């Protein structure tokens, strides 16, 4: 998919040398050996590492050898495709990285509601 800023699909500018370095990373491994969750190439067959707000290079696309875009990271956080983040790319990444994944929030809310309903039923 080509870059499209209107939907937060914004590429990180990388040099040809960095692209070669990213291509050499094995799936599931980090560009920097000592940092297991920084500049890590995502494995399609495993859960993603944490989406952080500190920079855009935490998750490397497993096929395209580039940092994942805000839109791709939002998908990992289970944001709907039509949810648009405001501000610069940096602030989009902050919003995405600081968010509780949408479907996790929903699951927690539904569980709390069920617990509250049971507690209320016991008082009647």
């Amino acid at each position: 998919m080509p870059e499209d800023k209107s939907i937060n699909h914004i590429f990180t500018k990388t040099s040809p040398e960095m692209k070669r370095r990213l291509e050499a990373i094995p799936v599931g491994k980090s560009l920097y050996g000592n940092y297991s969750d920084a500049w890590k190439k995502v494995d399609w067959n495993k859960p993603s590492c944490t989406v952080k707000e500190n920079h855009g290079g935490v998750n490397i696309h497993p096929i395209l050898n580039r940092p994942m875009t805000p839109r791709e990271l939002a998908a990992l956080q289970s944001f709907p495709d039509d949810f648009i983040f405001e501000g610069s790319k940096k602030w989009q990444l902050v919003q995405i990285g600081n968010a509780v994944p949408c479907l996790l929030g929903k699951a927690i809310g539904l569980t709390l509601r069920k617990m509250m309903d049971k507690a209320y039923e016991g008082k009647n």
Side-chain angles (χ1 to χ4, degrees):
M1 174 178 194
E3 183 174 60
D4 185 346
K5 292 181 181 181
S6 71
I7 62 166
N8 308 124
H9 190 57
I10 306 166
F11 297 133
T12 299
K13 292 174 180 52
T14 52
S15 68
E17 172 58 27
M18 180 56 95
K19 288 179 184 177
R20 283 191 291 277
R21 292 179 68 196
L22 296 177
E23 186 175 10
I25 303 170
V27 170
K29 300 296 181 184
S30 172
L31 178 63
Y32 305 104
N34 295 339
Y35 301 101
S36 62
D37 66 345
W39 291 85
K40 185 175 181 179
K41 192 174 279 191
V42 173
D43 186 333
W44 283 123
N45 298 312
K46 294 186 179 177
S48 169
C49 58
T50 302
V51 175
K52 296 182 178 181
E53 60 83 20
N54 58 353
H55 59 81
V58 172
N59 293 323
I60 304 301
H61 196 284
I63 298 168
L64 300 176
N65 299 310
R66 60 163 172 75
M68 294 180 76
T69 68
R71 174 55 43 209
E72 292 163 340
L73 293 170
L76 288 177
Q77 290 284 70
S78 66
F79 279 93
D81 289 340
D82 62 352
F83 190 97
I84 302 300
F85 297 89
E86 298 295 327
S88 68
K89 180 181 172 191
K90 173 188 174 183
W91 292 111
Q92 292 170 23
L93 293 170
V94 168
Q95 293 171 68
I96 295 164
N98 282 338
V100 172
C102 300
L103 293 178
L104 175 60
K106 181 179 179 179
I108 291 169
L110 290 172
T111 300
L112 288 172
R113 182 175 179 181
K114 185 187 277 188
M115 292 171 63
M116 291 172 70
D117 287 347
K118 282 184 181 180
Y120 180 75
E121 288 172 8
K123 294 185 179 192
N124 287 331

